[in-house]
Amino acid sequence: MPDIVRLLPDVVANQIAAGEVVQRPASLVKELLENALDAEATEISLVVKDAGKQLVQVIDNGKGMSATDARMSLERHATSKIQSADDLFNLRTMGFRGEALASIVAVAQVELRTRLHEEEVGTCIIAESSEVKKQEPVACPPGTSVTVKNLFYNVPARRNFLKSNAREMMHINEEFYRVALARPDIGFSFYQNDMQVHHCPPGKLSQRIVHLFGAQYKEQMAACKEETMHLNLKGYIGKPESAKKSRGEQYLFVNNRFIRSNYLNHAVTTAYEGLLPEGYFPFYVLFLSIDPKEIDVNVHPTKTEIKFTDEKLVYGMVRASVKQSLGLHQITPALDFHSDINFHIPKHSPQGSGGMRQTLQDRDYGQMRGVRPQQEGWSRLYEETRDKDTSQDREMPPDVVTIPSAANHRQDLMEMPEVTDQQWPVQLHKKYILMQVRSGMMLLDQQAAHERILFEQFQRALEKRKGPTQQSLFPETIQLNPGDFSMVMEMKEELEALGFDMEVMGKTDLVINGVPADIAANYDRTVFEGLLEQFKHNQNTLTIGKRENLARSLAKKTTLKAGSTLEKKEMTALVDRLFACNNPNYTPGGKPVFSILDFNKIESILK
Ligand code: ADP
Ligand code: MG
């Protein structure tokens, strides 16, 4: 019987080996960009045609190669970056296996042009199917240009396996983003089918993010920074309202390498707990620097996965610092305020002459607050507020108006609606409130606004342990199952602080004699049961304390019903109360309450 074991021809062996490195056009982008970085380039251009299926080219101004090195660089395991295998994460270069170019040449047509800075002429090599076809001196700028054409031209099965252009382009963009984000100090240009799609000059990380993702990120990012002995974290996170329904824009770099870590991703996302609607993912670009000793080097470093010696420590730190950053920035409205720190004076204001501007503390807003409605209809809601306004423990004198608490520090960023004429505010579809503001118009979700107001009101009641009660004319009896009953008993004190007046009857029945005054007008027997349901739901899905949960659940269950018609003074009062909140921007669940359409936005919509 003849021997059947044979060595594979080199070409085939190389093609198979290439499979690990080159899976799709995006792999070319990754490898070539990383080589350019390793060559210490400061300007890098990426050119892609037909989603990389026809052409991927990377041009750099890095150190270039001699003729011999250029020839060698296409051989398998040829690398100038030899390092010992056990400290791979100590590597300062991206590549280290000397496999990329050889793999690429096995499955595509490659033209390499390279020149050392100190040389007059460069080298041009043309190669395909692992074979050098031509090598000659050439006039070219210092640095290196690698052009890869017709990927998998010689492996039809794999070429057919490529996905649609849109899909391949997505992978390419992703690789480009990772490199461009990791190195904001380097200039990048990206051309697609002869059109420049990105031009990123060298700069700061924040500028890089804006260049890549768009100007709106200026308003949507919050800085994140934490330094400890063995561990540093820095970067940017997206404010909750910039969260998207896809996981896309999440970047974590460990020692400047892009890493995919479900564990740390979890640390980031749980820091947003309660600020994001379900199914939304926050934006982040975070850089973790850690002593390489703290990383498990058994994990293959070319894979975008990693293990930490002390995972919990890293997790805790990431979560805490994202949380802190959210806390610091949450109160900043994500609005385009930087150019306009003062408030417009209403036309009819007595001080309004000469176009003079006043600040928030001025009478202007005080007057606006003066238009608080008389009690009527559902605006009983404001009963407690008005009472408080006239009471002794009022936080501010009638004419000096400050936005309370944390928002104070950022008052320069706040913009209040103008009460310029009788037309405003306007209710849209019994759902939204439209108001004129200095930079354009403000669109406000009435239900969300009300939920925020109630939530903070309930929180105050829980803190002070004395929410006002309105006694019911007809006390209602609620029959509870034993589980719910004991839960209610556990938070009896808090419920009373909110303003519930309850009495136990029999084994598990509850008589409700009075309810929180703020919600008395909207109270019906579904509220209490709804409150318990919501409380339980939150308990299972969030990690918030009992009090916050109660305040949230009650606010959610007693907020304005959808489709409530509001009168002008009710709307004004609602807006007024909203901006007296500590955090008017979001509902307790993280939904944005209002948005400002400034003139730029309006113009761009109408273009
Ligand atoms: P690795 O990056 O793992 O070393 P590659 O196959 O990607 O392996 O590259 C092989 C060698 O070719 C590199 O070690 C480097 O010396 C050289 N090289 C590749 N690309 C460039 C470039 N753009 N500029 C200068 N040298 C390069
Ligand atoms: Mg490489």
Side-chain angles (χ1 to χ4, degrees), residues 509-524:
D509 287 1
L510 213 59
V511 182
I512 306 220
N513 291 317
V515 300
D518 311 320
I519 58 165
N522 294 348
Y523 191 86
D524 62 47

Side-chain angles (χ1 to χ4, degrees), residues 35-36 39 60 64-65 73 78-81 95-101 144:
N35 279 351
D60 69 56
M65 286 177 268
S73 73
T79 177
S80 55
K81 309 158 193 170
F96 46 82
R97 293 164 303 156
E99 258 179 348
L101 289 182
T144 303

Side-chain angles (χ1 to χ4, degrees), residues 481-554:
N481 65 42
D484 285 358
F485 181 80
S486 67
M487 187 174 79
V488 169
M489 286 304 107
E490 260 171 46
M491 53 193 195
K492 188 159 179 284
E493 208 178 304
E494 284 81 10
L495 286 165
E496 282 168 358
L498 283 168
F500 283 101
D501 179 354
M502 313 181 301
E503 213 181 315
V504 178
M505 234 191 30
K507 252 187 167 173
T508 58
D509 287 1
L510 213 59
V511 182
I512 306 220
N513 291 317
V515 300
D518 311 320
I519 58 165
N522 294 348
Y523 191 86
D524 62 47
R525 58 178 307 136
T526 63
V527 170
F528 198 85
E529 280 155 28
L531 168 68
L532 296 185
E533 280 316 305
Q534 185 68 39
F535 185 89
K536 283 188 279 186
H537 173 79
N538 288 356
Q539 220 172 19
N540 292 335
T541 54
L542 305 170
T543 51
I544 51 176
K546 183 160 63 165
R547 282 190 190 184
E548 181 175 349
N549 189 351
L550 259 181
R552 271 205 203 186
S553 303
L554 191 58

Side-chain angles (χ1 to χ4, degrees), residues 179-354:
V179 173
L181 284 169
R183 298 298 302 270
D185 56 320
I186 289 176
F188 287 93
S189 296
F190 185 2
Y191 299 83
Q192 265 174 47
N193 300 327
D194 297 323
M195 222 178 68
Q196 188 173 45
V197 288
H198 286 292
H199 172 69
C200 305
K204 293 191 290 194
L205 176 62
S206 55
Q207 294 165 326
R208 179 57 48 92
I209 292 174
V210 167
H211 268 116
L212 292 175
F213 298 109
Q216 73 274 19
Y217 280 77
K218 256 189 233 169
E219 314 298 329
Q220 293 177 348
M221 289 188 288
C224 196
K225 197 171 162 81
E226 185 76 43
E227 288 182 6
T228 64
M229 276 264 278
H230 303 286
L231 212 59
N232 288 340
L233 184 74
K234 66 177 176 109
Y236 291 90
I237 57 169
K239 293 181 191 170
E241 84 271 9
S242 68
K244 302 224 165 105
K245 279 204 149 166
S246 70
R247 258 175 215 283
E249 294 164 353
Q250 304 188 324
Y251 298 88
L252 175 70
F253 299 86
V254 177
N255 295 353
N256 247 28
R257 255 174 220 282
F258 176 83
I259 291 295
R260 203 188 301 278
S261 161
N262 287 338
Y263 189 65
L264 292 185
N265 177 62
H266 189 264
V268 177
T269 42
T270 54
Y272 279 81
E273 192 155 65
L275 288 173
L276 293 180
E278 221 173 292
Y280 278 75
F281 301 94
F283 165 87
Y284 62 82
V285 179
L286 292 170
F287 291 82
L288 194 65
S289 345
I290 185 167
D291 187 330
K293 286 193 220 73
E294 302 294 325
I295 300 171
D296 186 345
V297 289
N298 287 327
V299 178
H300 203 296
T302 58
K303 295 223 182 89
T304 53
E305 278 148 30
I306 196 173
K307 266 210 158 50
F308 300 96
T309 320
D310 191 346
E311 281 204 312
K312 281 206 182 109
L313 182 84
V314 182
Y315 183 98
M317 186 238 200
V318 169
R319 180 161 188 253
S321 70
V322 171
K323 258 200 145 146
Q324 191 197 346
S325 164
L326 279 169
L328 287 178
H329 296 273
Q330 217 179 89
I331 47 144
T332 312
L335 308 168
D336 196 11
F337 288 144
H338 41 253
S339 56
D340 190 4
I341 58 163
N342 294 322
F343 294 113
H344 183 61
I345 295 166
K347 271 189 241 139
H348 309 303
S349 154
Q351 303 96 341
S353 55

Side-chain angles (χ1 to χ4, degrees), residues 155-169:
V155 202
R158 302 205 54 196
R159 186 152 178 103
N160 293 337
F161 188 68
L162 293 178
K163 300 279 188 304
S164 71
N165 277 13
R167 188 122 205 111
E168 294 299 343
M169 221 36 239

